[in-house]
Amino acid sequence: MNTLRAKLAVLLTVVIISVVSVLTGVLVYLFDPPDERQAIAPLAEQIELLEKVMRVAPTLVDIQQKPAGGEVEPSLTGWLRDTLKSRGMPRDVVVSRKDDKPVLSIPVDRGWIITPIPDLPPQGGVFNLLLIWLAVIALGALAVALFFANRMVKPLALLEKAIESVGPDALLPELVITGPAEVRVAAKALNSLSRRLKVAMEGRMRLVAAAGHDLRTPITRMRLRAEFVEDEEDRAMWLKDIDELDRIADSAILLVREESGKSSPESLRLDNLISELVDELRTLSYDVTLMRSDETVVRANRTGLSRAFRNLLVNAATHGNRARVSVQSVLSEAVVVIEDDGPGIPPDMIGQVFEPFFRANRARTKHFDGAGLGLTIANEIVQRAEGTIKIENGPWRGLVQTVKLPAEQR
């Protein structure tokens, strides 16, 4: 009932039923259809006519030995007997319905005269007919309302479907331009929006890549000039700043490659990949420990996924003092949990961790190597593998990085 389609259907149904009910009520008032009581007088006249025929030509009337039977109509029977009595010809007549057809049983000397009553209103009177009529109208109105409500919200449904099918590259898929005019207009607008977004994103990526590439030439010149600085302390500081600029340029180019990369995925053992990364980082003097390693297979690009987990592990071991990683297989997902013992991130900044160049505390972390793009690149790679990364503060201290990837069924 909270959907627009349901609300429109209910509104249209109520409007149609209300209009039909009002018109039906006006017609009933104007034409005043007969009720059961108004059929009593013609029945009494019919009985008088039959008695006259009996007196003139008794052989023309079929005499039965017992009444018609069926369900007796007490109201009609009572009204008819009272009418006959008031006309001076009392009879114990019986009005009944047999097989849903009204019949009249008239007692005579030799038995019963059985005759149908064609003009008798249906059982329950005209109002029962009106209720049946309104019920049929309600069902028909509901069907019509659902049909038109579905057509009215179809452009919105198309928009919802397009948004749900947005790929990891954040672009809308090309929509087929078919259907009613409104749907075609919505599809054309979405396709146009998708093309403009694609052009804008490609332009942004080219700009970042060009800036990163063009920075390398002046960085190289600065490095050569720094080598001629006579003061060793000043020369070391210059070279350190130049190295940081070089890392920023390389990270920017790497980010562009990950966002625009179309590397084909492959089946790989995630537990083996993490184990190899842990061994590699330990040889580089990072405090990384593999706590658990369940066998699990995922489908992703090996180089990209390795880079993503390396960034996450280095981030935990660098900013969180040490990293503890576990690989688990949960239902149809591969779950990698990375915990550290660092100070964590302020809760009001936790939603910014995947933004480029994010630093929780620039003053405290400026002595760490890196350009601040590690988590951003890792997030891009995991999203392309149809996975998710969740980063939150631990229950006591440190960060908990949880990566979930769809596991490949074996």
Side-chain angles (χ1 to χ4, degrees):
M1 186 58 72
N2 291 330
T3 62
L4 181 60
R5 182 185 287 106
K7 292 180 179 178
L8 286 174
V10 171
L11 177 61
L12 290 174
T13 303
V14 171
V15 169
I16 294 174
I17 294 176
S18 299
V19 172
V20 172
S21 299
V22 170
L23 291 177
T24 303
V26 171
L27 292 176
V28 169
Y29 176 77
L30 292 177
F31 292 98
D32 190 19
D35 57 16
E36 293 177 329
R37 200 176 187 99
Q38 291 175 319
I40 297 301
L43 286 177
E45 294 175 357
Q46 183 179 359
I47 294 172
E48 290 180 352
L49 180 61
L50 285 173
E51 288 195 349
K52 291 178 181 179
V53 172
M54 282 283 296
R55 288 194 295 269
V56 175
T59 57
L60 296 178
V61 180
D62 186 19
I63 305 297
Q64 302 291 332
Q65 296 301 315
K66 57 182 180 179
E71 184 181 355
V72 177
E73 290 281 352
S75 300
L76 288 173
T77 300
W79 293 336
L80 183 55
R81 289 179 180 181
D82 293 341
T83 302
L84 291 174
K85 186 176 180 180
S86 64
R87 294 191 177 200
M89 44 182 302
R91 293 286 187 278
D92 291 332
V93 296
V94 177
V95 179
S96 61
R97 292 184 184 272
K98 189 174 183 180
D99 300 330
D100 291 332
K101 295 180 180 179
V103 291
L104 175 62
S105 301
I106 307 171
V108 294
D109 294 338
R110 291 177 296 165
W112 296 81
I113 300 175
I114 310 299
T115 179
I117 311 175
D119 298 329
L120 189 66
Q123 190 174 14
V126 71
F127 289 103
N128 275 5
L129 281 180
L130 291 178
L131 291 177
I132 297 174
W133 160 253
L134 291 177
V136 173
I137 291 296
L139 293 176
L142 182 60
V144 172
L146 288 174
F147 174 76
F148 282 102
N150 187 64
R151 286 181 62 91
M152 292 170 69
V153 302
K154 202 167 185 180
L156 296 178
L158 177 69
L159 179 61
E160 179 184 1
K161 182 179 179 181
I163 293 174
E164 290 178 348
S165 58
V166 173
D169 54 2
L171 293 178
L172 297 172
E174 188 76 14
L175 300 177
V176 180
I177 304 176
T178 57
E182 296 83 0
V183 175
R184 294 198 301 271
V185 170
K188 288 180 181 178
L190 289 173
N191 288 339
S192 177
L193 173 63
S194 178
R195 287 191 291 270
R196 291 198 298 270
L197 285 174
K198 185 176 181 180
V199 171
M201 292 180 66
E202 289 177 350
R204 185 194 68 173
M205 292 297 101
R206 286 194 296 269
L207 176 63
V208 174
H213 183 271
D214 292 345
L215 278 174
R216 287 179 170 176
T217 300
I219 288 174
T220 302
R221 290 199 301 263
M222 292 171 64
R223 190 185 302 278
L224 291 174
R225 291 171 184 171
E227 295 292 343
F228 293 98
V229 176
E230 296 181 358
D231 188 281
E232 293 185 2
E233 185 176 352
D234 287 345
R235 183 170 61 250
M237 293 181 63
W238 274 100
L239 291 175
K240 182 178 180 181
D241 290 341
I242 291 171
D243 288 339
E244 184 175 356
L245 286 174
D246 199 16
R247 285 193 297 271
I248 293 175
D250 289 341
S251 297
I253 295 173
L254 182 59
L255 176 61
V256 172
R257 288 176 180 173
E258 292 301 335
E259 287 196 358
S260 59
K262 301 295 182 183
S263 302
S264 58
E266 59 180 294
S267 297
L268 57 92
R269 284 277 300 274
L270 183 60
D271 53 315
N272 290 344
L273 178 67
I274 298 296
S275 178
E276 293 170 2
L277 284 174
V278 169
D279 293 339
E280 175 189 336
L281 293 176
R282 288 178 68 88
T283 60
L284 298 176
S285 300
Y286 287 101
D287 189 351
V288 182
T289 305
L290 182 60
M291 307 297 294
R292 174 178 175 179
S293 183
D294 294 346
E295 179 179 342
T296 180
V297 179
V298 298
R299 188 165 184 81
N301 176 260
R302 176 180 289 274
T303 303
L305 199 61
S306 176
R307 183 181 298 119
F309 281 111
R310 181 183 288 106
N311 289 349
L312 296 175
L313 290 169
V314 169
N315 179 75
T318 302
H319 301 281
N321 302 324
R322 62 185 57 86
R324 297 180 299 277
V325 58
S326 62
V327 182
Q328 306 172 29
S329 179
V330 181
L331 298 178
S332 59
E333 288 184 326
V335 181
V336 179
V337 180
I338 303 172
E339 300 175 298
D340 61 52
D341 295 333
I345 297 176
D348 58 333
M349 301 178 67
I350 200 78
Q352 306 173 29
V353 291
F354 296 121
E355 294 181 3
F357 309 109
F358 169 77
R359 300 278 191 180
N361 190 327
R362 295 183 182 275
R364 292 177 56 188
T365 58
K366 64 181 181 180
H367 60 281
F368 291 122
D369 292 338
L373 289 173
L375 291 180
T376 306
I377 295 173
N379 190 43
E380 288 288 339
I381 295 172
V382 171
Q383 285 185 346
R384 288 189 178 278
E386 300 182 359
T388 60
I389 301 180
K390 182 180 180 181
I391 296 182
E392 56 188 347
N393 288 309
W396 303 109
R397 59 175 305 177
L399 282 181
V400 178
Q401 304 177 88
T402 305
V403 181
K404 294 183 178 180
L405 293 167
E408 192 175 61
Q409 302 298 323
R410 303 186 65 183

